[in-house]
Amino acid sequence: MSAIKPLSFSHPAGRKQRGVTAVEFSLLALLFFLIFFGAIEVARAMYICNTLQEVTRRAAALAAKADFSNASAMQHVREQAVLRDSPGYLAFAQPVTDAHVRIDFLQIQRTGKDLSMVQIPQASLPASPAENHVNCLKDPYGSNCIRLVRASVCKPGDGAECQPVPYQPLLSLIPVSFKLPLSRTIVNAETLGMPGGLPADPCGCK
């Protein structure tokens, strides 16, 4: 005659312990992923902030030699500044695109012994690099003589003031909200796309 097996019941304390363990694991996993993705966001933000200065450096250096009167040439400068050959985002740095690269042309204004940089409005720019060269020979401090090139990273738009670009988090899970620094580079205007470059002796002194 076979022995009768006793009935087996799950102990309520065991089920409760397993439930507590599952809750603790979920909380620890959530904390881990928050720290992990938070570290990624911090690293990405630092990368973007450092890269934007390089973007303006490249843009200013290229614009100093590009034809400012040629819209296609200036667009190519903006694309190259964000390390591209076509319109689009700077790698790993959304929302920054070539459209965020702003290039201004400046005169040097003399008031007595004081010199200051003044932006030349788009409508007042010389018609061509050759005309700018002639203007600067006549009056290096004139309002239509481009002496400097300034590159900035700003929100796209026609506003006179450069507005900072809001940071866009990689993941919406991490609530990050701040504005990227106003990166800016100013260099001397060089050929500005003048065919053949500037004359070796522009004043005809030799």
Side-chain angles (χ1 to χ4, degrees):
M1 185 175 180
S2 59
I4 298 175
K5 295 181 179 180
L7 294 176
S8 174
F9 297 97
S10 298
H11 198 282
R15 290 198 302 270
K16 183 177 181 181
Q17 183 63 35
R18 286 195 295 273
V20 171
T21 301
V23 171
E24 289 177 346
F25 176 79
S26 300
L27 291 175
L28 287 174
L30 178 61
L31 180 62
F32 169 78
F33 284 115
L34 282 174
I35 294 174
F36 176 74
F37 289 114
I40 291 177
E41 284 292 353
V42 170
R44 179 171 175 268
M46 292 178 63
Y47 156 76
I48 295 175
C49 292
N50 291 330
T51 305
L52 291 186
Q53 191 58 46
E54 175 62 16
V55 167
T56 61
R57 187 197 67 79
R58 286 172 59 86
L62 292 168
K65 300 176 183 178
D67 184 352
F68 60 89
S69 63
N70 186 326
S72 178
M74 296 309 297
Q75 173 60 22
H76 188 55
V77 166
R78 295 184 181 90
E79 292 169 2
Q80 287 187 303
V82 294
L83 310 175
R84 299 183 60 90
D85 291 322
S86 61
Y89 291 107
L90 174 65
F92 307 112
Q94 293 185 14
V96 179
T97 68
D98 56 285
H100 291 78
V101 179
R102 173 170 168 169
I103 299 171
D104 299 314
F105 299 95
L106 314 176
Q107 68 168 110
I108 295 180
Q109 188 177 76
R110 181 168 61 181
T111 306
K113 295 182 179 180
D114 298 327
L115 300 178
S116 58
M117 298 181 296
V118 179
Q119 179 180 340
I120 302 175
Q122 188 69 29
S124 301
L125 289 174
S128 67
E131 181 178 310
N132 181 70
H133 180 61
V134 172
N135 293 343
C136 292
L137 287 178
K138 291 179 179 178
D139 183 4
Y141 302 103
S143 60
N144 55 358
C145 169
I146 300 173
R147 297 282 299 277
L148 302 168
V149 178
R150 180 176 66 199
S152 314
V153 175
C154 317
K155 286 180 64 176
D158 298 326
E161 293 296 326
C162 179
Q163 300 297 326
V165 182
Y167 177 76
Q168 180 177 308
L170 191 62
L171 297 170
S172 58
L173 177 67
I174 308 298
V176 179
S177 178
F178 68 94
K179 296 186 183 300
L180 296 171
L182 283 174
S183 301
R184 183 169 291 164
T185 300
I186 299 175
V187 299
N188 289 322
E190 297 184 30
T191 62
L192 294 175
M194 186 170 177
L198 296 176
D201 182 32
C203 68
C205 301
K206 295 182 180 180

